[in-house]
Amino acid sequence: MARIGAPPETHYTLPPEFAAALGQCVANFGWLEEIIKRSIYALDRARLADDLTQEELQTWLEHIGHLADDSMGTLIEQLDAAMRRHPGLRDRNRITDRLGEIRLYRNLLCHASWRPTEDKTTWHPAFVSSKGEVQDRPLSLGDLDRIRAETVEIGTRVLRVMRATGEQGYWAGDDEA
């Protein structure tokens, strides 16, 4: 197997500005996952009958509770399925496709090992996808800013889907003030 960069014992410290931008991207991915979970909850809750028995409600809550451990790919699939079951929602395919693209960025940025390049303004994320694809392009602060903005934009679109249900997307343990 070919090596994708420096020997594994080589460690590089990212410049503070780049590290901060990368950290903000990662934080935004966490926020997006929370928004997806809350939207799945809201979409499913909106379609539940009002006369559920306590046992039926508990079973549903346990199912929803398992969302906390799901990967982003599974969450996207569950959101897509929940949107299919909710009539009148538009742009489901575009939202799902865009979330899939953001998931690829998430995997790259969260799992790469970072290497300096000859260009001091870029860093190379050493990463091989689950499909064996090697990341060959270095990233700049501008790239990270674009990914951050795209993550917030799709999260905002998912929030609009959640709000369209009439449910506020409260999560178990939220303080409903």
Side-chain angles (χ1 to χ4, degrees), residues 7 13-14 42 54 65 72 83 95 106 124 131 142 153-155:
T13 301
L14 293 169
Q54 189 61 35
M72 191 167 194
M83 288 190 296
I95 290 170
R106 178 203 170 277
H124 181 260
K131 295 179 181 175
E153 187 274 329
I154 192 61

Side-chain angles (χ1 to χ4, degrees), residues 84-143:
R84 283 180 196 275
R85 292 188 299 265
H86 196 85
L89 293 177
R90 298 178 311 182
D91 296 334
R92 181 187 52 78
N93 288 336
R94 282 195 288 243
I95 290 170
T96 301
D97 291 348
R98 194 71 189 112
L99 286 170
E101 293 167 6
I102 295 295
R103 180 182 64 86
L104 296 176
Y105 286 133
R106 178 203 170 277
N107 290 346
L108 171 67
L109 297 185
C110 291
H111 299 289
S113 175
W114 293 89
R115 309 276 192 254
T117 66
E118 290 181 19
D119 177 356
K120 299 291 185 205
T121 66
T122 65
W123 281 73
H124 181 260
F127 180 78
V128 179
S129 75
S130 60
K131 295 179 181 175
E133 299 161 333
V134 175
Q135 172 67 22
D136 58 356
R137 193 175 73 78
L139 298 176
S140 67
L141 279 174
D143 293 322

Side-chain angles (χ1 to χ4, degrees), residues 14-28 141 144-145 148:
L14 293 169
E17 189 177 12
F18 194 92
L22 179 60
Q24 189 59 57
C25 283
V26 171
N28 286 352
L141 279 174
L144 295 178
D145 286 341
R148 180 200 48 76

